[in-house]
Structure formats: C-alpha cells, structure tokens
Amino acid sequence: VSQKVRIVSVQDEAPDIKSFILESADDKPLAGFEPGAHVDVKVADGISRSYSLINTTECPHQYHIAVKREADGRGGSAMMHTFAPGQLLDVSEPRNNFPLADPRGRSILVAGGIGITPIYGMAKSLAQAGEPFELHYLARTEEAAAFVSALKDEFGDRLRPAFGLDASRVSDYLGDVLGAAKNGDHLYICGPKPLMDLGRDLAARNPALTLHLEYFSADTDLDPLPKGSFQVKLARSGRTITIPEGRSIVDVLADHDIEVETSCEQGICGACLTKVLEGTPDHRDMLLTDEEHAANDQMTVCVSRSIGPLLVLDL
Ligand code: FES
C-alpha cells in the first residue's frame, strides 16, 4: 500500500550522504514500524529504492531516512539527492527484514558506511528501553561517515568508532569483537557485502552468537545466471508461461499483463515474495535465510529462477 509523503527537511550528513524527513502529505497517519524496518521510496516512474528508517516509533508521524549518492548506482540515489523540501513522494508501508530479536540478550551492532541507517534506529530503541548494546561503526574516514557526533552524544561509550581500517585490520577488529561475544548475544550487521561476508564467517566460529544480516544493496558477484528457459504455471489462472534465458519472471509476467508488486528488483526488499507450490527455485536473493531457501516454499520472483523445468506459483 502506497502512502503519499512530503519531504519536510533535507540535511547534509557527509559529502555523499543526505538525510530526509518525510511526513504524511494527506491527513492519513503514516503506517507504524519497528526498528530495522525500511520503506520503498518511488523515486521516479519505474524506479523505487529501499531506505531504512532511522527514527524510532517515538515520532511515528515522520519517516527519517538517509541516502548515499552511489556513483556507480542506477540513478535512484542521485535523483533523491536533487530533491528539496516540499517534494511529494510515494512510499510503501514499512517492511522489516531485520528486526531486533526477542528475547534480546545483549546486542552487538555493526554498521559499515551507510549501513548505519537501520543500526542507528535499533540503537536508539535499545537505548530507550535500557537494553545492553554496543555499536561498532566502520567507515573509510570519520568525515565520510554520517551522524558521528549525534551518535556520540546519544550513546557515549557504547559507540565504538572504527574508522580508516584497511581490510586486514577490519578482519582483526571484528574478530576481536566477535571473539568476546557471550552466550545469548545477538550480532546485527548492515554494510557492504565484504563486511557482511566477513561477519558471517567470523560469527560461524562463535556458536554463542545469533547472527542477523541486512543487505542494503545487491551485490553484483553472484554466480552467473544459469542458461536456459523454464516454465512458470500460475496456480490461480492455470496459465503456463515460458521464462526465457536472460529475463526475469516479473518482467515476463508483466508482458502478459500480470503485475507482481516489486520495489528493489534486486532480491533485497521482499516486495515480490511469492509462494511456491511446486518445483524448486534457484534462489538468487539476499533476503531469505538459508533455512528459508532450503524450504523452497517461497521465492523472490524479481531475481530468482528455477532449477527444474517448471515452477508452480501462487499467482
Ligand atoms: S522486488 Fe525486492 S526482492 Fe524482489
């Protein structure tokens, strides 16, 4: 469900990062959210981008997001950076792929670069609830990192800045942090893929930890797409449609006037999750957990494909 919002403030947070405060542009209250949630912002026709919510439910009449201008992105972030207060936008209701665990234990929050956005909201909530946490903030330089002084003010020594580390020192740093984790601790990481991969590897060595990951942009080094076409049968209408090599399920269905809700089209937001009734998906997303992939009962039809000749979908 889309909501109409107005940008009420735009702030420079770092050379490439702006933050935006959005409020309802009609009389309807904004849909609520929990820490870790994101909204999909329709930046232009056919271009939506997912941005994590930084604010907490303390000010539910606003959505606070931050956008890094990606030089090699597909244009969505650059367009966001041209917007000024007063601009109207459509945003989705918040979706949460990265919730705080319940029960919580101690939270070890790790943010890399613009990955600070969901982590900041989580830290605020934990601080408000008086729950134990530490926030490790990794970035190339302090100047390139958003919100540093606000984070220091709000969280004091719970903020552990780790700026300017090269790859091997990042590995040592995280190794030390995770090595010190205790039973029941939860580790949350949001940042670039190499950081997430490193966190995943290191966390696997410490069974005391439960790991939670949030990807904020799709990586480009997935295995190459398998060759060949497959068929998709739509259970509700009984139609069978061939998906040729090199085209996504959503694209081909759109050619047949079958619209599936999408946003990121990169397998990270969850907008297009569809139930699988038969067949085995070739999962290409970064959203579902390994267990969810293994269950093979749902798939992201924007990027995922089929291992066998036929998938039956609940569409
Ligand atoms: S549209 Fe975002 S996961 Fe498919």
Side-chain angles (χ1 to χ4, degrees), residues 213-258:
L213 296 173
E214 170 88 327
Y215 288 88
F216 64 79
S217 71
D219 59 328
T220 49
D221 57 359
L222 281 174
D223 301 338
L225 286 179
K227 299 242 178 279
S229 62
F230 56 95
Q231 290 194 307
V232 164
K233 181 167 177 188
L234 310 178
R236 295 184 205 171
S237 62
R239 291 173 74 182
T240 299
I241 291 171
T242 300
I243 313 296
E245 184 178 326
R247 297 206 58 209
S248 71
I249 298 177
V250 274
D251 278 353
V252 178
L253 294 188
D255 288 352
H256 291 79
D257 295 324
I258 300 152

Side-chain angles (χ1 to χ4, degrees), residues 13 19 21 53-59 64 109 116-135 137 146-161:
E13 304 291 354
S19 70
I21 294 179
L53 296 171
I54 303 166
N55 57 313
T56 62
T57 41
E58 246 193 348
C59 41
H64 191 185
L109 309 175
I116 189 64
T117 51
I119 295 286
Y120 191 177
M122 293 162 120
K124 282 189 202 197
S125 287
L126 292 167
Q128 282 158 8
E131 310 231 24
F133 73 94
E134 55 193 45
L135 194 178
Y137 189 6
F147 307 120
V148 179
S149 59
L151 291 163
K152 280 183 187 157
D153 289 352
E154 281 179 65
F155 307 131
D157 61 9
R158 288 171 292 183
L159 173 71
R160 316 277 164 85

Side-chain angles (χ1 to χ4, degrees), residues 261-272 287 300-302:
E261 191 191 338
T262 58
S263 175
C264 70
E265 298 192 29
Q266 300 179 81
I268 50 182
C269 76
C272 69
L287 168 77
T300 53
V301 286
C302 64

Side-chain angles (χ1 to χ4, degrees), residues 35-69:
H38 69 268
V39 289
D40 301 325
V41 178
K42 187 171 172 198
V43 183
D45 272 349
I47 304 181
S48 286
R49 291 290 176 269
S50 299
Y51 296 114
S52 296
L53 296 171
I54 303 166
N55 57 313
T56 62
T57 41
E58 246 193 348
C59 41
H61 65 292
Q62 294 184 329
Y63 292 154
H64 191 185
I65 59 173
V67 179
K68 176 168 190 225
R69 183 152 39 77

